[in-house]
Amino acid sequence: MNEFLKHDEWCIIEEGFNPNNQRSSESIFSLGNGHIGQRANFEEQYSGDSLQGNYIAGIYYPDKTKVGWWKNGYPEYFAKVLNAPNWIGIHIKIGNEELDLSKVKVENFKRTLNMQEGYLERSFTAEFSNEKIIEVKATRFISIKEHELGCIKYEIKSISATEKISVTPFVDADVINEDSNYQEKFWKEIAVESKPGEAYVTVKTKKLDFHVCTSMKFNIEKNGTEIKGPVKEEQRKKYIGQTIEVDVKPDDIVTIYKYAAITHSENHNIETLTIAAHNVLQRSSEKGFDKLFELHANAWKCKWTDSDIVIKGDTAAQQAIRFNIFQLNQTYTGDDERLNIGPKGFTGEKYGGSTYWDTEAYCLPFYLRTSDKKVSRNLLLYRYRHLQKAIENAEKLGFKKGAALYPMVTMNGEECHNEWEITFEEIHRNGAIAFAIYNYTRYTGDESYLEDYGLEVLIAISRFWAQRVNFSKEKNKYVMLGVTGPNEYENNVNNNWYTNLMASWTMDYTIKSITKAQTKWPEKYKKLKAKINFDELKEVGKWTNIVDNMYFPENEDLGVFLQQDGFMDKELLTVDDLKQEERPINQKLSWDRILRSCFIKQADILQGIYLFDNNYDVETIKRNFDFYEPKTVHESSLSPCVHTILAAKLGYKEKAYELYLRTARLDLDDYNDEVYQGLHITSMAGTYLSIVEGFGGMRLINQELHFNPFIPSKWNMYSFTVRYRENLIKVEVSNKKVTVSNQVGEKLSLFIHGVEYKIKEKSSVEYYCN
C-alpha cells in the first residue's frame, strides 16, 4: 500500500512533490471523455521517471506476437491502444533555464483532481539555480461536450524573476509505447502545417493506417492583455513548436491558453482531418476557456445526478466511491457502438487497452443503473458487430457450423491474446456475453435487441458449447475438458463448475429465447433460421439433452460445489496459512507451486453463485462462501466485489465492509503496488455494485425490484440513485430507516426487506429498521 493522498469528498489531492509517486499519480489523476484520454503528465518538460500517455479510443496497433513456442490457433498479434501524439506540451524557460521539476527546487506542490466538475489542477513554486522564483498554476480538462477537444490554462507568476520567459506550446507525434514488443515506433508522419498561434501534425499508424491529426491553437496574455509578439517556430520530424518570449518582472502573470483538437479517420475522411481539427479549434477559441469549462462542468453535473453515491460519516469511503464512478463515466460514454472499455481505460498501456469479458460481467450492470439504456445497448451492439469474427475465431480452433467463440482480448473482434491457457481455455467468456443479453433484456424490459441481434449471438454461442462438451460414458454425463475458469491460478482443468454452469445456462436461455421468437417475431425468426442455416429440431434437441445431462462436480459430504475435478486432492489450506513474505503469491511463489495449490485468484464458484443467487438457498451459498473465500487471495481486482455482495447477503457485515474497502480504494491506496501501470477501471464497476447490490441489497426477482439494505457501522447514512426502466429511484439508508423515492416515472411497485410498497411519481416511502 501507498497512502499519500488527502481524503476529501469530491477531490483527489496530492500535497508535496515526491518523484517516487509520479507514475502512480499520472494514473490516478488521469482525464478522459470516452473518446480520448490523458495521463496526468506535466505540460512542462520533466526529465524524471514518467509514463507518457495520451490515448484515442479505437486507434490501435497490431503488435506482432512474441512467444517462445508457437501453437496452432495463436493470434498473430497483440492489439495495443497507442500512445498518441502529445497535445499537452508547453515548455517553459526562465532566462536560459528550463522549467523541469526534476531539476528545480519545488515547494508548495499541490495536485487536485476535481471529480465534481472533471478537471485537473496543479500548482507549485519553482526556484531556479539563479534564485529566481516563479509560481505556476495549471488547469486542464478534456471536454465531455466536445469529444475531440482538450483545454489547458497555464499561469506563471513571477515572484522574484526579472527575466525573459520563453513559452513553447507544441505538438509531438514522435512518441513510443513503453510496452512495444520490439521497441518499435508506431506513427509515420503525413504532414506538419502551421501559422502563428496554430499548428497541425498529421500522422498515420503503421500497418492499419489509422490517420490522426493533432492540432493546437493558443494565445498568451500578460497581466490580462493578449501578447501579439513574434513567434519563433521549430519543426522536426513529427513535431512542431512555437515560441513566444515575454519580459516579466515580480508580480507579473503570464497566462497561456492552449486548445487542442484530435481528429481521426474513424470519424472523418482522411482528406478533411485538418479541416475538421481547424473547425474544432476555431469554435473553441471563440468561446474561450471559461465558457468551454462551464459547458463541460454542467455536463458533469448531469452525470452525477444519475450516478452519484453519497456516504456520510466516512470521508475515505465517500472519496473512493466517487473516484470509481468518475473514472467509469470518463472512460465510456456509450455514444459510439464501435467503442468499449479496456481494463485500464485511458490510464495506462497494460492490457493493451483492449476489451475483455470484464465489460459484460461488471461494467454493463453499472451503466444499466446509471445511464440511458442506449448506453448499455451499444455495449451489446459492439459484440454483435464482432459476431462474424467470433465465428472465425472458433473456426481457427476447429469448430464448425457457425459456432462462435468470442475473444478473450480484442479490438476488432479478432482474438489477440497469446497465452495458451487463456486464449484456448478461458472460454467462460462466451457465457458472460450471453448473460449480458439476458441482463439487459430483463432489466430494461427492452426485447428489441434480443429480437434483432441477440438471438443470433445466443445461437452461435450455444453452437460452440454444444461442440465443446463431450459425453462421458463413465459419468453418463456431458463433461467439458481442458479449460481455465475465472480463477486463473488453475489451468487446463476438467469440468470447471462455473464454465459448465454458463454453458448449460446459455443453451437453456437460448432455447427459451427461440420459443419466444416463434411466438412474438415469427417472420424475423424464419429469416434468421435461413440466414444461419439453423436446424432447429436437431440443434435444440441436442442442446436440451446437454442441459439435462450436464455434469457439475460437487462434494456431497461438505455440501459444496467443486471448482473442478480433483480440487479435493489439493492440500486444503487457507490464506491465513501463507506467510506474509509469500504475498502476493503471483509475485512471490513459483507458477508450479501456485498451480498445485488450493489458492484462488478471484471468485470462480462464487462468481456463478453471484450471477444466479436467487437459484440457491442461503445455506447453500453460506457453505460455498465459507469454504472458498478463506482460500481466496483476491489478487484480481475483480474479486473483492463479488465476495462483498455475497457476504452482505449472508449477513457477514464486517467481512463485507472489509472487502469493500479493498475494492473501493484499490488504486487510491495502491493495494497491489501496481497503480503506476494504470487504474483498474473495469473492477471499479464492481465497487459500485458492492454498495448497490451488496449494502443496498438490490435484486431483480421475477421482474420485481427488491432492496434488503444495511448500513456499515462506520457510516451515518448513504444513498444511491438507480435508473430502472422509465423510473429514477433514490434509496437512502440510515441506522433508523430506509427511504425510497420515485423521483421520475409512473407508479412503481417494489419490496423493502420483503414488504411490498407502491410509490407514486415524486413520492417516497419509509421503512423503519428494528
Side-chain angles (χ1 to χ4, degrees):
M1 291 181 65
N2 184 16
E3 300 177 76
F4 65 93
L5 302 169
K6 302 293 182 183
H7 291 175
D8 183 271
E9 291 187 352
W10 276 109
C11 295
I12 310 300
I13 302 169
E14 177 185 11
E15 293 182 345
F17 181 58
N18 181 350
N20 294 328
N21 292 331
Q22 177 60 12
R23 282 199 178 214
S24 297
S25 292
E26 288 172 348
S27 299
I28 291 168
F29 291 83
S30 294
L31 293 175
N33 66 0
H35 297 264
I36 55 178
Q38 174 69 53
R39 283 172 62 84
N41 308 123
F42 296 156
E43 289 85 359
E44 69 277 357
Q45 172 68 31
Y46 182 64
S47 57
D49 186 34
S50 173
L51 175 61
Q52 296 295 305
N54 169 44
Y55 310 104
I56 305 171
I59 304 298
Y60 68 97
Y61 178 80
D63 205 7
K64 185 178 178 181
T65 297
K66 189 175 184 179
V67 293
W69 179 19
W70 188 271
K71 299 175 179 65
N72 289 335
Y74 262 166
E76 295 183 0
Y77 68 90
F78 183 76
K80 288 182 165 71
V81 170
L82 298 184
N83 181 17
N86 179 0
W87 63 271
I88 65 171
I90 305 173
H91 282 177
I92 306 294
K93 280 187 175 180
I94 308 299
N96 294 320
E97 287 195 72
E98 187 91 39
L99 176 57
D100 182 338
L101 267 62
S102 70
K103 296 180 179 178
V104 300
K105 181 180 179 182
V106 181
E107 293 183 338
N108 304 316
F109 182 93
K110 185 176 183 180
R111 177 161 29 195
T112 302
L113 178 65
N114 186 304
M115 299 179 289
Q116 190 170 25
E117 297 184 320
Y119 68 90
L120 172 62
E121 184 176 275
R122 180 171 56 99
S123 59
F124 58 88
T125 300
E127 182 177 344
F128 295 80
S129 60
N130 56 17
E131 297 185 350
K132 292 177 180 175
I133 301 172
I134 62 169
E135 286 182 354
V136 173
K137 181 180 178 182
T139 306
R140 74 169 176 247
F141 64 93
I142 296 177
S143 177
I144 209 83
K145 292 286 289 184
E146 282 271 9
H147 293 163
E148 298 170 322
L149 176 67
C151 302
I152 299 171
K153 180 181 180 180
Y154 196 96
E155 298 174 279
I156 306 166
K157 180 179 181 179
S158 171
I159 302 302
S160 63
T162 301
E163 190 64 86
K164 281 188 182 298
I165 295 182
S166 296
V167 178
T168 307
F170 65 88
V171 173
D172 184 9
D174 191 23
V175 295
I176 190 169
N177 269 51
E178 193 173 72
D179 67 353
S180 170
N181 280 342
Y182 300 91
Q183 297 301 305
E184 182 180 11
K185 291 186 176 180
F186 301 134
W187 297 100
K188 290 183 178 180
E189 181 181 311
I190 300 298
V192 177
E193 308 167 60
S194 68
K195 60 183 179 181
E198 200 167 331
Y200 303 80
V201 177
T202 303
V203 291
K204 70 173 184 177
T205 63
K206 297 178 181 179
K207 293 187 180 180
L208 297 181
D209 288 347
F210 292 111
H211 283 59
V212 174
C213 177
T214 305
S215 59
M216 68 173 183
K217 187 178 180 68
F218 68 91
N219 61 285
I220 300 177
E221 296 178 355
K222 175 182 172 182
N223 299 327
T225 301
E226 187 170 359
I227 295 174
K228 297 289 187 179
V231 175
K232 179 182 177 181
E233 186 167 282
E234 178 187 359
Q235 281 196 35
R236 56 180 185 265
K237 190 174 183 180
K238 295 184 280 190
Y239 172 95
I240 186 166
Q242 297 183 349
T243 300
I244 292 180
E245 293 185 338
V246 184
D247 291 312
V248 298
K249 61 184 185 300
D251 293 327
D252 282 345
I253 299 175
V254 176
T255 305
I256 305 104
Y257 295 97
K258 182 178 182 182
Y259 309 95
I262 300 173
T263 55
H264 57 81
S265 53
E266 291 293 277
N267 293 335
H268 303 278
N269 292 328
I270 292 173
E271 297 78 13
T272 63
L273 282 183
T274 303
I275 295 172
H278 170 78
N279 291 339
V280 174
L281 293 177
Q282 188 63 34
R283 64 175 176 262
S284 299
S285 61
E286 288 174 358
K287 289 178 181 176
F289 184 92
D290 291 341
K291 182 60 178 178
L292 291 168
F293 176 73
E294 179 185 346
L295 295 170
H296 168 77
N298 285 337
W300 267 108
K301 183 179 180 181
C302 292
K303 283 187 173 294
W304 283 115
T305 297
D306 285 354
S307 60
D308 191 22
I309 292 178
V310 176
I311 298 171
K312 297 296 184 184
D314 190 338
T315 303
Q318 177 68 88
Q319 181 187 51
I321 189 59
R322 282 183 171 146
F323 180 71
N324 284 262
I325 294 169
F326 175 75
Q327 293 294 345
L328 287 162
N329 279 331
Q330 69 170 1
T331 298
Y332 183 74
T333 55
D335 52 14
D336 189 336
E337 68 189 49
R338 299 170 300 172
L339 303 181
N340 209 280
I341 307 154
K344 296 293 182 187
F346 295 119
T347 69
E349 298 176 5
K350 192 176 181 183
Y351 303 119
S354 304
T355 300
Y356 286 63
W357 68 288
D358 307 15
T359 292
E360 286 76 23
Y362 297 90
C363 297
L364 181 82
F366 167 79
Y367 295 108
L368 278 173
R369 289 158 176 76
T370 62
S371 306
D372 187 270
K373 67 182 180 183
K374 68 181 180 182
V375 173
S376 299
R377 184 184 174 90
N378 276 346
L379 287 174
L380 300 183
L381 283 170
Y382 175 90
R383 293 296 192 179
Y384 178 77
R385 303 302 182 202
H386 290 175
L387 177 57
Q388 188 55 43
K389 292 288 187 183
I391 291 172
E392 293 171 12
N393 288 336
E395 288 175 350
K396 291 175 183 177
L397 301 183
F399 293 86
K400 300 177 178 64
K401 199 186 179 184
L405 175 59
Y406 276 90
M408 186 68 181
V409 179
T410 194
M411 278 292 184
N412 66 352
E414 293 179 313
E415 178 64 77
C416 60
H417 194 286
N418 50 37
E419 294 175 287
W420 68 270
E421 68 273 18
I422 306 299
T423 306
F424 303 150
E425 295 193 338
E426 199 164 342
I427 54 177
H428 67 80
R429 58 196 187 249
N430 256 8
I433 291 163
F435 188 83
I437 298 170
Y438 164 75
N439 208 6
Y440 171 85
T441 303
R442 67 165 179 162
Y443 193 83
T444 64
D446 173 20
E447 294 184 335
S448 65
Y449 178 83
L450 180 66
E451 174 186 356
D452 295 331
Y453 309 104
L455 183 56
E456 186 176 353
V457 173
L458 290 171
I459 290 173
I461 292 175
S462 292
R463 283 172 160 175
F464 171 84
W465 289 128
Q467 295 178 48
R468 187 58 173 78
V469 300
N470 62 275
F471 189 78
S472 167
K473 291 183 179 179
E474 179 184 336
K475 291 182 170 63
N476 199 32
K477 294 283 185 180
Y478 284 93
V479 297
M480 199 177 313
L481 310 179
V483 302
T484 297
N487 171 28
E488 293 170 339
Y489 291 173
E490 298 272 13
N491 303 149
N492 200 36
V493 302
N494 294 335
N495 294 308
N496 172 259
W497 184 88
Y498 175 77
T499 306
N500 285 15
L501 174 68
M502 296 310 294
S504 177
W505 175 86
T506 299
M507 287 183 279
D508 184 60
Y509 178 55
T510 305
I511 294 167
K512 292 174 180 175
S513 298
I514 288 170
T515 301
K516 180 174 290 186
Q518 292 169 333
T519 304
K520 289 191 169 185
W521 323 299
E523 288 304 313
K524 287 187 178 180
Y525 176 57
K526 183 178 179 180
K527 290 179 181 178
L528 175 61
K529 287 203 314 182
K531 174 185 175 182
I532 63 176
N533 190 25
F534 183 51
D535 187 338
E536 180 186 319
L537 183 64
K538 181 179 179 180
E539 295 190 64
V540 169
K542 183 176 182 180
W543 298 345
T544 302
N545 188 32
I546 294 170
V547 171
D548 290 342
N549 295 282
M550 182 67 86
Y551 171 69
F552 295 97
E554 63 177 309
N555 184 293
E556 293 182 0
D557 292 337
L558 296 176
V560 298
F561 308 125
L562 292 185
Q563 188 171 272
Q564 72 268 343
D565 286 350
F567 188 84
M568 297 302 291
D569 294 333
K570 294 173 178 288
E571 185 180 9
L572 298 178
L573 305 175
T574 69
V575 174
D576 290 340
D577 294 316
L578 286 167
K579 298 175 183 177
Q580 190 60 41
E581 57 267 26
E582 294 177 315
R583 304 285 306 275
I585 65 172
N586 62 7
Q587 297 175 25
K588 301 297 178 62
L589 301 186
S590 70
W591 197 243
D592 167 74
R593 186 176 169 192
I594 291 173
L595 289 175
R596 289 187 290 109
S597 79
C598 70
F599 298 121
I600 299 169
K601 180 183 180 184
Q602 67 190 81
D604 198 303
I605 288 280
L606 298 181
Q607 180 78 27
I609 289 176
Y610 159 66
L611 292 179
F612 302 106
D613 69 344
N614 292 328
N615 294 348
Y616 306 102
D617 60 54
V618 171
E619 285 304 310
T620 299
I621 298 172
K622 183 178 185 301
R623 286 194 302 271
N624 282 275
F625 186 92
D626 292 348
F627 183 75
Y628 285 106
E629 197 285 327
K631 299 173 179 60
T632 304
V633 291
H634 300 296
E635 288 175 8
S636 165
S637 63
L638 301 174
S639 184
C641 60
V642 171
H643 291 83
T644 298
I645 295 166
L646 291 180
K649 181 181 179 73
L650 294 172
Y652 296 168
K653 296 181 180 180
E654 293 305 314
K655 186 66 175 179
Y657 187 69
E658 169 201 329
L659 290 164
Y660 165 75
L661 285 182
R662 183 174 183 129
T663 185
R665 298 195 65 88
L666 177 69
D667 290 321
L668 290 178
D669 293 338
D670 200 5
Y671 270 77
N672 294 337
D673 193 27
E674 60 183 12
V675 77
Y676 67 92
Q677 299 173 329
L679 305 177
H680 297 84
I681 298 298
T682 49
S683 72
M684 290 178 173
T687 305
Y688 172 89
L689 295 174
S690 293
I691 292 182
V692 174
E693 294 186 0
F695 304 153
M698 181 180 175
R699 297 291 190 278
L700 183 60
I701 303 173
N702 298 325
Q703 301 300 306
E704 294 177 320
L705 275 181
H706 289 249
F707 295 94
N708 294 291
F710 77 89
I711 185 167
S713 60
K714 294 184 180 181
W715 298 0
N716 298 327
M717 183 280 289
Y718 69 96
S719 66
F720 57 86
T721 303
V722 293
R723 287 175 177 248
Y724 175 66
R725 301 186 179 181
E726 303 306 319
N727 294 87
L728 187 65
I729 304 161
K730 182 176 181 180
V731 179
E732 183 175 313
V733 184
S734 69
N735 287 308
K736 294 182 178 180
K737 64 180 179 179
V738 178
T739 305
V740 179
S741 306
N742 181 12
Q743 297 187 322
V744 176
E746 296 180 355
K747 187 176 181 180
L748 175 71
S749 176
L750 53 78
F751 292 80
I752 306 172
H753 288 297
V755 179
E756 185 175 10
Y757 294 89
K758 298 184 185 300
I759 315 174
K760 297 178 181 178
E761 184 175 14
K762 299 189 184 304
S763 298
S764 62
V765 297
E766 294 179 339
Y767 175 95
Y768 285 88
C769 306
N770 293 330

